Amino acid sequence: MADKPSPALSGEPTTAPETKCKHEDCVEDPEDPASTGTGAGISSLEQPLLKRSTTLTASHLAIVGAKVSHIESLDYEIIENDLFKHDWRSRSNVEVLQYIFLKWAMAFLVGLLTGVIASLINLAIENISGLKMLHMVNLVRAKRYWAGFLYFAGVNFALTFGAAVLCVVFAPTAAGPGIPEIKAYLNGVDTPNMFGFPQLIVKIIGSIGAVSSGLDLGKEGPLVHIGACLANLLSQGGEGRWRLRWRWLRYFNNDRDRRDLITCGASSGVCAAFRAPVGGVLFALEEVATWWRSALLWRTFFSTATVVVVLRGFIEVCRNGRCGMFGEGGLILFDVSDVTVRYRAGDLLPVTLVGVLGGVLGALYNHALHKVLRLYNLINAKGRLAKLALALAVSLLTSAGLYLLPFAVPCTPCSAAGFAAGDDTCPTVGKSGNFKQFNCPAGHYNDLASLLHATNVDATRNIFSTATAGEFRLDSLLIFFAIYCVLGLVTFGIAVPSGLFLPIILMGSAYGRIAALVLRRFATIDHGLYAVLGAAALMSGSMRMTVSLCVIFLELTNNLLLLPITMFVLLIAKTVGDAFNPSIYEIILDLKGLPFLEPKPEQWMKDLAVGELAAAKPRAVTLQVVEKVSTVVAVLRSTAHNGFPVTDRPRPGVSELHGLVLRSHLVAVMKKRWFLPERRRTEEWEARERFSSTELAEKDGSIDGMEFSPEEMEMYVDLHPFTNTTPYTVVETMSVAKAVVLFRTCALRHMLIIPKFQGPEIQPIVGILTRQDLRAHNILGAFPHLANKKKRH
Amino acid sequence: MADKPSPALSGEPTTAPETKCKHEDCVEDPEDPASTGTGAGISSLEQPLLKRSTTLTASHLAIVGAKVSHIESLDYEIIENDLFKHDWRSRSNVEVLQYIFLKWAMAFLVGLLTGVIASLINLAIENISGLKMLHMVNLVRAKRYWAGFLYFAGVNFALTFGAAVLCVVFAPTAAGPGIPEIKAYLNGVDTPNMFGFPQLIVKIIGSIGAVSSGLDLGKEGPLVHIGACLANLLSQGGEGRWRLRWRWLRYFNNDRDRRDLITCGASSGVCAAFRAPVGGVLFALEEVATWWRSALLWRTFFSTATVVVVLRGFIEVCRNGRCGMFGEGGLILFDVSDVTVRYRAGDLLPVTLVGVLGGVLGALYNHALHKVLRLYNLINAKGRLAKLALALAVSLLTSAGLYLLPFAVPCTPCSAAGFAAGDDTCPTVGKSGNFKQFNCPAGHYNDLASLLHATNVDATRNIFSTATAGEFRLDSLLIFFAIYCVLGLVTFGIAVPSGLFLPIILMGSAYGRIAALVLRRFATIDHGLYAVLGAAALMSGSMRMTVSLCVIFLELTNNLLLLPITMFVLLIAKTVGDAFNPSIYEIILDLKGLPFLEPKPEQWMKDLAVGELAAAKPRAVTLQVVEKVSTVVAVLRSTAHNGFPVTDRPRPGVSELHGLVLRSHLVAVMKKRWFLPERRRTEEWEARERFSSTELAEKDGSIDGMEFSPEEMEMYVDLHPFTNTTPYTVVETMSVAKAVVLFRTCALRHMLIIPKFQGPEIQPIVGILTRQDLRAHNILGAFPHLANKKKRH
């Protein structure tokens, strides 16, 4: 909670140091500028480039589900204090094996449950929307157009209403895709109420409702979030009051293991969404995860393998229509493997064009979506009714668009489509297929209806279908592209679970088909493949992924020969897109105010030393290694910091930075009232008798409601057993750029700054830095003149 | 060179501290144990678990191409000294753009050249060995069996002789695959003469000779090495004397950019070998690289995309036999996509069995190869003739085995093979195909000859071929498996460029076919797919990769539906193999003595503090910030350290750890004789006038042959402008486990240890740690009692 803004720090004058300094063992003397200033004074001779201007005030707030909430940092550091050290040493081989077994069992369970849930969601969506479409088509064939519209819009309205009410009332954080929050979590930022049980349930039911209602959104993002929720719940043994406190689970009560499992969950989700096991792993690696190790690669791979076996099993079971309308399509969603791709030099130009335009369109989409989301944030902040009304309005717009637009295009005779089979009877009109008769006479089909009156997955399958060059008319495709551009922008921000993948794929595939028609004279590649390339280009232009998208598209389409041009298009689109704006997830992260640490420090950070940064902050609140209870209580009550440097003076003239003590550990001591009547250092066994490492792993940061008697307040607390004696330290002259790299690569929460010079009157600590202090935005707020030097490297 | 054993440190009593301490400004007093011991003394009170036993002596030698050589560490740290800082600040936007452009141009060039070279190698191999086979087969058909053997063995002998002579005389380091050395380079260890121009040329020509000569080795490993050589040469602008000193290239004269480019080279190599662009990227990510960033993912992807486009282009050009016998096969090496895979619960057992046995066999192979390589090292160390003789002996053994064994199996009538086409005439005998007539009458074929009398790639293609359940006899397959087990073990260590992939794939595919025949009654999956699974299992059992192997096999075979079982088999085989021994590359790294830093610290490292480690080393040689020339000269001459801590005492009672100065920078100062007549601190411009950052980037570590006059020896050197003022520091009580994590994640070369306590008589530095000091093996040598606690976590 060093990252929470304490009221004392953000506005009013700080009270903490004053409280502390009433006691004789005051660590820092605010009257004496030399106490911490000496070191900084000398070193500033060497770094005279910058002057401090204002105080570095960091906001620790972010928008979580339309509400502004406090966010927390996660603690990935190996804490070396007496109690934890003792715990490692006493851990038996059996316990180590238990831990390893559990890690793998958890990864298996995450994969298994994600696979099962994804299959059930698919089952529900395909049956609900299939029945809806069937009935609607029957009404249209009976020429009851108005009844058809009312039925269609009514069902969609009801489904959206259900999804939105669930979202708004029970779990506001379940709206949207959840991927930015997962990305932030794996970067070290914990958003509250994000990965709990209500979110999981609302996400599952809400996804079914939202996707079935025909809204322009996918279940892909939500599935990733569902995987992450499952991982989080499994690792904690459930939620809140109902939490399972199984003995084995205690090994998992740390942020590191939870992070690993959530990575498994995220890749399982992608795998379940696209039936792409390798793509899932790579998506987690490229887009979601910040820290990665080989061991994790292997474990996520195990999870996705489990998912794909489960999916495979469901498909086998549901073969031959045993699960209603579910079960078609097999393991490969959009198979285009029947086309052999040959390369000619002449294809280079149109393919390049598709890539460049895809990059531009993707960047435009990001820009426009940013504006829309800003607007929606304002609307959503007005309250639950506003959120609900927005969602329902979008549903009505969607229904109207999808139902009415097919009337605008003429009918096409089935024989004109030039499809391979050669017979001129259109395929069945009841189920989803390439051809929908809709309002047309027999022997004709409405090509736009074929695309619009299907689930989003079926629409993609239709538009990707190969050897169908003449099947779709240019005007139909243009209408399709236009309506999905509009819907893709207005749908994403509403209060239902929604994913970005499928809307962009739909838009992109229409764009690819249009490009194929326009470039007809150059296009020797099949139009269905153009649709695939267009989708890839737009995805890359908006999401800026490369390898993972490439593999996902490979696994979606099963055409290995397409790989070289897909790579080519993806690289071009990403390069073009990057020239305009950041990726869509980065935009959303920024919009939500989540303090994401970028992999690369800004160039101007090389010109600022961490000592200057520390000087722009309120002075660090430090504790003595044997501290008065009253001081600890005052510090806990007056600040919201999560870690406190601990100093000591073992002999006159000798000072020591003993380490860093966490707030939660201080709170544990307070709760157990482990106080000493006199100022002394305890033996190791004394603390071990009272505290177990499992208790210390709990994150409880509040002593609200606790009362301490005056006698207790005069007693002492020995912090030796709790202090992490080896926190990561940097010297005050280190540049912020170098410190940021260290902070991010080692996944730190706190970084202590030590003085350049050592001497009898120099304090052993200069300051403490947290994630917020190292964010470019916050630093520029305190040092505005650096902005002039700002340039990209 | 802190990692080189100076003669002074390893055996004889050190002279450096004595030399230094003749002068009045002696930094450390060996007579006074308190000078650095104070801090350690107090802290050891808190860490009483371990006692120092012997001195930590670290060997900095490794076996490089059969010779024991000195190895160097690489420097990835951001060096913050005055001169470099000034360089950053003065870098213009144009220069930044130049740098970015060059980075991408280099990645493109690496891909382009790797693709071209790989295509040329393929062209040469397929034509040479194709002609050889053709002539041999003609002799056999004329029943001139002895002439055939002499011809076959003679050509193989000559080709092996050529490859081995090149290797032995010009570039001993070009023998073997080179992948372990690349892995070590990317981990921070530079082996000398590894990535130069002679290595590149020898590797190319040697590979062609060795593979054409029918030896049981592949061109895959060598191609990876070729890619890395290209990357290194491009980034340096060539080699040694002929080095191009283009102005733009100076941005690349640092270890970080070279590391990135070599990663691109390695993935290009894999891509070129298997025509697997995504597999190449993942191979680099999973197996080769130690540090990885998203930006690198994108750049390697760009390189491999270039490679695959080049390969594609060559294949298009060579279509219709325009390049002799090259050009068949297309982009997918071993296409098995014509088989539709259905899953039944009954397949689970045989597939699991294939995985488990594959893991066991892989581990066995690793074990046996380890023994053989040990033996070969002894032979190869005997001199050039011994090396040559060994290679030629293996060539004779191979020729005999390949030629004579097919006579041992009976002929099979073509119609009995039950192949799909139904016609009972065997396909052409001249070119490579599924059927070789060899010594059989017309209408019959020799199945073993079909496998043995082909290039390794064609053999794999034959054995992977689907719908050929009855084509190969069990006894032929057993003989094939046995001979390739023997050859795979004896061939790898000889002095020619050799790869491990193809031998293992051959062994594994035979094993898979045998498993299919043995498990015939359970095997509903095609025998060709069993061969694929067997190959994957053995690869995973030996190399212990998962995701990258999975993608490589996917890209090799183009059967997406095989993915779930491939994943399953890979995971089982890796798990089983890991239970026995480490991966083959780790075994080779260990055998060569390359100081590879493992990702995970050992469990017992938690019980040792870095301060204890430092105490077990000779005392660190420190310099004063303004130092006498004589002291610097003495230090440079008497030690081989690469970095020296610099301390200062700006005021009485105030001490300062000023930073770390690199040996190469000291040498640069000595060479320019930038000496001061009096002890003073210089202004920043004084150093800037004399030194450019480009000069300081040169790695020149020797002052041999330089003479200094007595007047010069009495002058002073100001180290302020050269000292990296912000080296990474850890406190002496930090556990070695935590320090190792920091050292590896931040890619450090030196890590300074600072004292726990600060006081007037305590030195600001406790010691310095390098890669060698943090290796488990070396620590256990100095603290043998820790070995008892050794257990795996």
Side-chain angles (χ1 to χ4, degrees), chain B residues 605-619:
Chain B
M605 287 182 180
K606 285 183 175 170
D607 289 333
L608 187 71
V610 287
E612 295 171 272
L613 217 55
K617 286 183 68 176
R619 189 171 295 175

Side-chain angles (χ1 to χ4, degrees), chain A residues 369-434:
Chain A
L369 191 61
H370 184 197
K371 299 285 172 211
V372 173
L373 286 179
R374 269 183 179 286
L375 180 70
Y376 275 21
N377 265 342
L378 295 180
I379 298 175
N380 284 338
K382 284 201 200 305
R384 291 175 171 187
L385 279 179
K387 277 188 188 180
L388 205 58
L390 185 64
L392 294 174
V394 170
S395 171
L396 282 180
L397 175 71
T398 307
S399 298
L402 296 188
Y403 187 84
L404 299 178
L405 284 174
F407 289 102
V409 296
C411 295
T412 317
C414 289
S415 55
F419 47 92
D423 59 334
D424 58 2
T425 56
C426 292
T428 51
V429 288
K431 282 204 171 190
S432 63
N434 269 5

Side-chain angles (χ1 to χ4, degrees), chain A residues 667-735:
Chain A
V667 169
V669 175
M670 291 291 133
K671 287 211 167 146
K672 288 228 169 171
R673 295 178 191 264
W674 190 62
F675 303 143
L676 307 169
E678 73 286 335
R679 176 185 288 275
R680 70 169 174 96
R681 185 168 170 176
T682 56
E683 301 295 324
E684 276 190 45
W685 57 264
E686 291 183 68
R688 265 183 229 154
E689 265 185 355
R690 295 290 297 272
F691 296 92
S692 74
S693 60
T694 322
E695 286 166 350
L696 288 185
E698 296 292 328
K699 284 187 185 176
D700 190 351
S702 166
I703 54 162
D704 292 349
M706 283 180 71
E707 291 296 331
F708 299 95
S709 66
E711 296 78 45
E712 282 177 329
M713 291 294 253
E714 287 302 308
M715 290 170 93
Y716 292 91
V717 172
D718 179 19
L719 299 179
H720 275 107
F722 310 101
T723 307
N724 174 10
T725 53
T726 59
Y728 289 96
T729 54
V730 294
V731 71
E732 58 182 331
T733 51
M734 186 180 276
S735 76

Side-chain angles (χ1 to χ4, degrees), chain B residues 48 140 203 286 314 405 563 622:
Chain B
V140 171
K203 205 96 194 187
E286 187 176 1
F314 261 84
L405 283 174
L563 196 60
T622 56

Side-chain angles (χ1 to χ4, degrees), chain A residues 47 49 77-78 80 85 89 285 298 316 342 555 563 571 607 655-656 726 735 738 758, chain B residues 47 49 77-78 80 85 89 285 298 316 342 555 563 571 607 655-656 726 735 738 756 758:
Chain A
Q47 295 267 345
L49 273 171
E77 190 178 335
I78 305 168
E80 293 194 325
K85 270 189 200 167
R89 285 180 192 139
L285 167 64
W298 189 24
E316 290 289 327
R342 284 210 54 185
E555 294 187 301
L563 197 60
L571 282 169
D607 290 332
S655 64
E656 179 201 358
T726 59
S735 76
K738 198 169 175 178
Q758 276 100 46
Chain B
Q47 296 267 346
L49 274 172
E77 190 177 336
I78 305 168
E80 293 195 326
K85 271 189 200 167
R89 286 180 190 140
L285 166 64
W298 190 24
E316 291 288 329
R342 285 209 53 182
E555 294 187 301
L563 196 60
L571 282 170
D607 289 333
S655 64
E656 179 201 357
T726 59
S735 76
K738 197 169 174 178
K756 182 82 185 158
Q758 277 99 47

Side-chain angles (χ1 to χ4, degrees), chain B residues 660-711:
Chain B
L660 185 87
V661 69
L662 295 185
R663 182 187 195 88
S664 59
H665 295 180
L666 286 180
V667 170
V669 176
M670 291 292 132
K671 288 210 165 145
K672 288 230 168 169
R673 294 178 195 261
W674 190 62
F675 303 143
L676 307 170
E678 72 288 336
R679 175 185 290 273
R680 71 168 173 97
R681 186 171 169 171
T682 56
E683 300 296 322
E684 276 189 45
W685 57 265
E686 292 184 67
R688 266 184 227 153
E689 267 185 353
R690 295 291 296 270
F691 295 93
S692 75
S693 60
T694 321
E695 287 166 348
L696 287 186
E698 296 293 327
K699 284 187 185 176
D700 190 353
S702 167
I703 54 163
D704 292 349
M706 284 180 70
E707 291 295 332
F708 299 95
S709 66
E711 295 78 46

Side-chain angles (χ1 to χ4, degrees), chain B residues 19-286:
Chain B
T19 325
K20 270 172 57 244
C21 291
K22 278 174 198 155
H23 310 284
E24 73 243 306
D25 30 71
C26 167
V27 183
E28 293 166 28
D29 188 0
E31 266 71 60
D32 172 23
S35 75
T36 57
T38 325
I42 299 180
S43 73
S44 66
L45 280 176
E46 299 177 35
Q47 296 267 346
L49 274 172
L50 291 172
K51 276 180 233 148
R52 293 162 217 151
S53 46
T54 57
T55 299
L56 185 75
T57 49
S59 119
H60 307 285
L61 301 170
I63 301 168
V64 180
K67 252 183 25 197
V68 173
S69 309
H70 284 294
I71 44 166
E72 288 238 7
S73 286
L74 295 167
D75 229 334
Y76 294 142
E77 190 177 336
I78 305 168
I79 295 175
E80 293 195 326
N81 68 24
D82 287 350
L83 285 165
F84 284 131
K85 271 189 200 167
H86 179 73
D87 183 46
W88 298 325
R89 286 180 190 140
S90 63
R91 217 174 253 197
S92 70
N93 278 335
V94 174
E95 285 174 310
V96 171
L97 280 179
Q98 274 181 1
Y99 171 71
I100 293 172
F101 170 77
L102 208 60
K103 266 201 302 198
W104 285 93
M106 290 281 187
F108 174 75
L109 273 179
V110 167
L112 182 75
L113 290 176
T114 310
V116 169
I117 290 176
S119 300
L120 292 178
I121 290 179
N122 269 339
L123 199 79
I125 289 174
E126 298 199 10
N127 278 306
I128 295 175
S129 63
L131 284 175
K132 182 186 75 178
M133 294 287 180
L134 201 62
H135 199 71
M136 185 263 282
V137 164
N138 286 338
L139 287 172
V140 171
R141 284 179 72 195
K143 305 266 179 212
R144 294 173 58 195
Y145 294 135
W146 276 107
F149 177 66
L150 287 179
Y151 169 78
F152 184 68
V155 172
N156 286 347
F157 192 87
L159 287 168
T160 309
F161 184 77
V165 161
L166 271 177
C167 239
V168 169
V169 176
F170 296 105
T173 49
I179 292 178
E181 284 86 358
I182 299 172
K183 210 178 145 159
Y185 187 96
L186 297 179
N187 192 266
V189 185
D190 193 9
T191 39
N193 301 320
M194 198 66 212
F195 304 110
F197 195 70
Q199 284 74 35
L200 178 65
I201 297 299
V202 169
K203 205 96 194 187
I204 295 173
I205 304 179
S207 262
I208 295 174
V211 176
S212 315
S213 78
L215 287 171
D216 180 27
L217 41 78
K219 56 185 190 299
E220 290 72 23
L223 271 174
V224 177
H225 192 177
I226 287 169
C229 286
L230 282 171
N232 183 51
L233 289 172
L234 281 174
S235 72
Q236 290 188 5
E239 161 132 353
R241 274 188 295 155
W242 299 279
R243 201 167 138 191
L244 198 79
R245 292 187 187 274
W246 189 27
R247 209 168 46 82
W248 286 27
L249 277 177
R250 72 194 150 103
Y251 306 124
F252 274 83
N253 206 355
N254 66 67
D255 288 336
R256 253 164 297 133
D257 285 315
R258 203 173 299 158
R259 174 183 72 184
D260 289 356
L261 207 59
I262 285 185
T263 312
C264 287
S267 30
S268 301
V270 177
C271 171
F274 296 111
R275 306 183 188 170
V278 181
V281 172
L282 289 180
F283 178 81
L285 166 64
E286 187 176 1

